[in-house]
Amino acid sequence: MKTVFPIERFQHIRTPFYYYDEELLSATLDEIRKQVSDAPDYHVHYAIKANANPVILRQIAAAGLGADCVSGGEVGHAVACGFDPSDIVFAGVGKSDDEISLALRIGISRFNVESIEELEIIQQIAAGMHRTAHVAFRLNPNIDAHTHEKITTGKAENKFGIPATQVAQLLQAAQNMQHIQFEGLHFHLGSQITDLNVFKRLCQYINTLQDRLEQEGFVLPTLNVGGGLGISYEAPDEQPIPDFKGYFDVFKTCLHLRPHQELHFELGRSVVAQCGSLISRVLYVKKGDTRDFLILDAGFTELIRPAMYGALHKIENLSSSGVQSCEEYDIVGPICESSDVFATHYRLPLSHRGDFVALRSAGAYGEAMASTYNCRPLVRSYYSTVEE
Ligand code: LLP
């Protein structure tokens, strides 16, 4: 399923902008549903930090996914975009008092709690509001996700989660808190994980831990294994839909779920990355002494992943179909920072001022991380099914 770019339509739109292939998003959501259809206790919450565009969120909510939020703003936005409060989970190491109150007022499904200090504050606020807070504890399993260090979250040196050594003490404490209802354990190892063995290791870790906790008398109604499934940045057209079968099969075969125990997932990138592209135009082809620069009208204000994580998004010149000769360019943006580079020594067909360029696989952590640095306008979005 290859995204088709309607260049004729693009002629009338001011660049840069995001273009979303809603048919691909719909096929991706269908595939997720298909892969969990034989597992009634599996439930996917979409991590809305990956892309909180309202059009995208409504489509995902309509497909029956819940929402995984990391701020009060996301919780409110998720409800406004059609997610049922009872299907919203709220994570994050630093939830403010206002955010906790808001989530309790809205009646979210559960807090993923990251410290004993946080648990005590949730208990206090819930008591003041005469509410019960449903909580899962996020544990830090100290497992290496074999991904970029800036998107690794499950190692002991990361700020996330509670060390396993403290879990029994925490469960004990929760039992004595009148406004806390314990719902289970939560894990999230990191993002853009392409080695499925990492998830196998997580399953083995949970199996051992669950056996031990049960022996100590603790029951875990739900397990939440977070998100993290990676996508192909190299070949978006060959692998437009990530390997959800392989991913869910790991849990089906390796995790020892108890009867009626629920298993939750928090997938972000794998749901939305491939359906979005950043569309830009070439402003200048600048001849340098040692290299040629393709200067685009999009920069890290629209897509920060290359500057922030050294990520390489596939880049295509949409206007040069049929052009045979290739040139090597450094493809850069207009922002006044040397880090505003999308790719170096990148081969593209001979390119010219005015050509349309697509930065692919940008549906996740693209628009959501856009900024107005240099007083640039916030990037706009267009959709395959809606004509302007
Ligand atoms: N659950 C939790 C608790 C998370 O922190 C995250 C992502 C997810 C789920 C969703 O993970 P995913 O399925 O999308 O991998 N801006 C970075 C990625 C940051 C991920 C933050 N947490 C990037 O552009 O690569």
Side-chain angles (χ1 to χ4, degrees):
M1 174 158 208
K2 197 170 180 307
T3 295
V4 177
F5 295 101
I7 302 235
E8 265 310 301
R9 193 179 149 205
F10 289 175
Q11 302 287 351
H12 312 289
I13 306 176
R14 188 190 297 255
T15 49
F17 59 88
Y18 273 92
Y19 179 70
Y20 292 108
D21 180 345
E22 291 181 286
E23 288 87 354
L24 178 55
L25 176 58
S26 168
T28 306
L29 293 165
D30 285 348
E31 177 65 14
I32 293 174
R33 274 191 305 218
K34 180 175 155 204
Q35 295 306 333
V36 298
S37 61
D38 62 347
D41 296 324
Y42 283 24
H43 187 54
V44 179
H45 293 92
Y46 164 64
I48 78 172
K49 64 175 81 65
N51 190 323
N53 177 311
V55 176
I56 304 280
L57 287 190
R58 288 202 184 90
Q59 199 173 335
I60 295 173
L65 274 65
D68 162 40
C69 299
V70 287
S71 71
E74 281 193 359
V75 171
H77 187 56
V79 174
C81 291
F83 290 94
D84 197 297
S86 65
D87 215 0
I88 293 178
V89 296
F90 182 12
V93 286
K95 302 177 191 75
S96 72
D97 296 18
D98 283 349
E99 290 177 316
I100 293 168
S101 308
L102 173 83
L104 283 168
R105 214 166 33 248
I106 285 180
I108 62 161
S109 158
R110 79 197 40 170
F111 293 86
N112 289 328
V113 172
E114 305 226 11
S115 63
I116 180 105
E117 294 80 1
E118 180 193 336
L119 183 68
E120 281 160 3
I121 296 299
I122 294 178
Q123 150 76 6
Q124 274 173 29
I125 295 175
M129 293 172 72
H130 308 289
R131 301 271 168 114
T132 298
H134 296 260
V135 306
F137 296 139
R138 176 174 181 175
L139 293 199
N140 184 322
N142 195 21
I143 295 175
D144 191 345
H146 298 298
T147 182
H148 192 283
E149 61 161 324
K150 286 194 179 154
I151 51 177
T152 292
T153 52
K155 289 181 72 183
E157 67 255 36
N158 301 130
K159 68 180 174 180
F160 301 100
I162 300 160
T165 47
Q166 297 176 16
V167 68
Q169 175 202 349
L170 208 65
L171 289 172
Q172 206 71 55
Q175 280 179 345
N176 299 326
M177 293 183 178
Q178 281 187 352
H179 294 270
I180 296 290
Q181 169 80 43
F182 172 70
E183 301 286 359
L185 296 183
H186 171 236
F187 304 83
H188 174 71
L189 299 180
S191 201
Q192 184 54 15
I193 298 170
T194 49
D195 175 3
L196 292 179
N197 287 318
V198 169
F199 298 111
K200 279 188 192 155
R201 245 167 270 140
L202 176 63
C203 292
Q204 287 152 3
Y205 178 91
I206 296 175
N207 290 339
T208 310
L209 180 69
Q210 172 149 255
D211 288 348
R212 200 191 83 207
L213 289 174
E214 280 178 352
Q215 275 165 18
E216 293 172 26
F218 298 112
V219 175
L220 311 175
T222 61
L223 295 172
N224 180 336
V225 287
L229 176 63
I231 62 135
S232 170
Y233 282 97
E234 304 77 37
D237 290 324
E238 286 76 40
Q239 213 199 67
I241 299 180
D243 180 15
F244 290 112
K245 179 169 171 21
Y247 172 73
F248 287 114
D249 276 354
V250 167
F251 297 95
K252 288 176 192 169
T253 52
C254 300
L255 190 66
H256 303 156
L257 270 195
R258 308 302 191 237
H260 307 300
Q261 186 175 37
E262 283 183 33
L263 181 59
H264 292 183
F265 300 85
E266 298 170 344
L267 296 174
R269 184 190 317 264
S270 52
V271 183
V272 289
Q274 298 295 28
C275 78
S277 297
L278 175 61
I279 308 297
S280 173
R281 275 194 195 244
V282 176
L283 285 175
Y284 303 102
V285 184
K286 173 171 154 174
K287 301 266 172 216
D289 271 350
T290 58
R291 57 191 72 198
D292 292 346
F293 296 98
L294 210 62
I295 303 177
L296 306 183
D297 59 9
F300 73 51
T301 39
E302 287 71 43
L303 180 64
I304 202 168
R305 300 195 67 259
M308 198 154 174
Y309 314 109
L312 180 61
H313 288 250
K314 186 172 179 201
I315 302 172
E316 278 172 48
N317 185 326
L318 303 178
S319 307
S320 67
S321 63
V323 177
Q324 298 298 329
S325 58
C326 265
E327 298 287 317
E328 207 176 82
Y329 300 102
D330 276 16
I331 303 174
V332 303
I335 313 295
C336 291
E337 299 245 3
S338 302
S339 59
D340 189 28
V341 174
F342 290 122
T344 53
H345 305 293
Y346 198 88
R347 289 185 74 74
L348 277 186
L350 187 65
S351 301
H352 304 94
R353 173 175 167 82
D355 284 356
F356 283 108
V357 166
L359 290 114
R360 305 291 307 276
S361 314
Y365 307 109
E367 186 183 350
M369 295 179 81
S371 75
T372 58
Y373 184 49
N374 285 186
C375 287
R376 286 165 63 83
L378 204 53
V379 64
R380 298 186 57 184
S381 304
Y382 297 86
Y383 311 90
S384 57
T385 54
V386 190
E387 291 269 346
E388 48 290 331

